[in-house]
Amino acid sequence: MSEILRVGDAVPDFKLETFEPSKGDFGEISISTLKADKKWTILFFYPADFTFV
Amino acid sequence: MGAEVITISTDTKFVHLAWQRDEKLLEKVKYPMGSDPTGKISRMFGVYDENTGLDLRGTFIINPEGKLLNSEVNYYNMGRNIDELMRKFKANLHLAEHTNEGCPAKWKEEGDKTLAPSAKMVGKVYEALK
């Protein structure tokens, strides 16, 4: 995966490990699950924890 | 809001946990905090800074079919406007239901004027927007 996605592209499936504050627990999230659940997704990238976001 | 919001940085999930528990401002955060320590996902979206190992401030909206519809990337020193993000999100919802329309720059919410491009409108966008 070296190509950068552009608007209009299909997002390839990927998985992310997460911390889920609502559960106070670790989890995992994937595009395929979000698609299966028919969900809109907003990805919000930021530089680093313990800084101003 | 009707969308799954996932915040992502190159920190590990352990650091996410520590930060969320430590920082009072994050007490009420409920979004899953994604971890991309290898930068793989961040590179895919073009927000990974190879020099610092950090992510630029990128926001991406993906529809339920998995298609990338919006992309905004700001440099480190500029914050994002949540109103504009909400505007884009609401416009996407409207356009998903009304596939022959377009939301102009000043479209803010449901009920605002949209455009349906046609031969008649060529050269008459000013009048159509009135």
Side-chain angles (χ1 to χ4, degrees):
Chain A
M1 177 54 61
S2 55
E3 280 285 290
I4 291 173
L5 287 173
R6 295 170 64 171
V7 168
D9 286 350
V11 178
D13 190 29
F14 63 78
K15 252 192 293 199
L16 277 173
E17 290 197 311
T18 59
F19 170 63
E20 309 219 5
S22 58
K23 300 178 190 146
D25 201 1
F26 297 125
E28 199 176 78
I29 219 156
S30 74
I31 288 292
S32 55
T33 312
L34 291 164
K35 272 162 80 173
D37 293 345
K38 302 252 175 268
K39 287 220 173 140
W40 286 82
T41 305
I42 298 178
L43 303 181
F44 197 88
F45 292 88
Y46 62 97
D49 291 350
F50 292 100
T51 62
F52 307 100
V53 178
Chain B
M1 148 175 198
E4 181 83 7
V5 176
I6 307 163
T7 62
I8 305 172
S9 76
T10 53
D11 298 283
T12 65
K13 61 186 177 184
F14 303 102
V15 181
H16 286 336
L17 181 156
W19 185 39
Q20 198 268 330
R21 293 207 174 149
D22 205 43
E23 173 61 67
K24 280 239 159 47
L25 270 177
L26 300 182
E27 226 167 32
K28 296 201 175 99
V29 164
K30 50 187 189 307
Y31 307 127
M33 303 170 79
S35 167
D36 185 30
T38 63
K40 193 177 150 199
I41 313 301
S42 307
R43 279 191 188 91
M44 193 160 102
F45 285 89
V47 294
Y48 187 75
D49 183 339
E50 302 284 345
N51 293 316
T52 60
L54 304 178
D55 286 340
L56 297 166
R57 298 180 193 281
T59 310
F60 301 90
I61 305 180
I62 302 167
N63 78 5
E65 287 76 48
K67 186 176 185 174
L68 178 62
L69 292 184
N70 304 93
S71 140
E72 177 187 348
V73 183
N74 294 350
Y75 197 57
Y76 296 115
N77 53 3
M78 192 181 292
R80 279 158 283 190
N81 187 315
I82 295 303
D83 292 340
E84 171 61 1
L85 175 61
M86 287 309 299
R87 186 190 84 87
K88 284 183 190 166
F89 179 63
K90 285 189 223 160
N92 280 324
L93 291 183
H94 179 88
L95 295 172
E97 296 292 318
H98 306 86
T99 48
N100 63 329
E101 296 179 16
C103 285
K106 289 194 173 145
W107 191 95
K108 276 206 186 109
E109 57 193 355
E110 203 57 49
D112 287 354
K113 189 148 199 166
T114 59
L115 295 177
S118 68
K120 263 198 327 207
M121 202 189 290
V122 175
K124 301 280 179 222
V125 175
Y126 175 82
E127 288 83 351
L129 279 173
K130 274 187 45 181

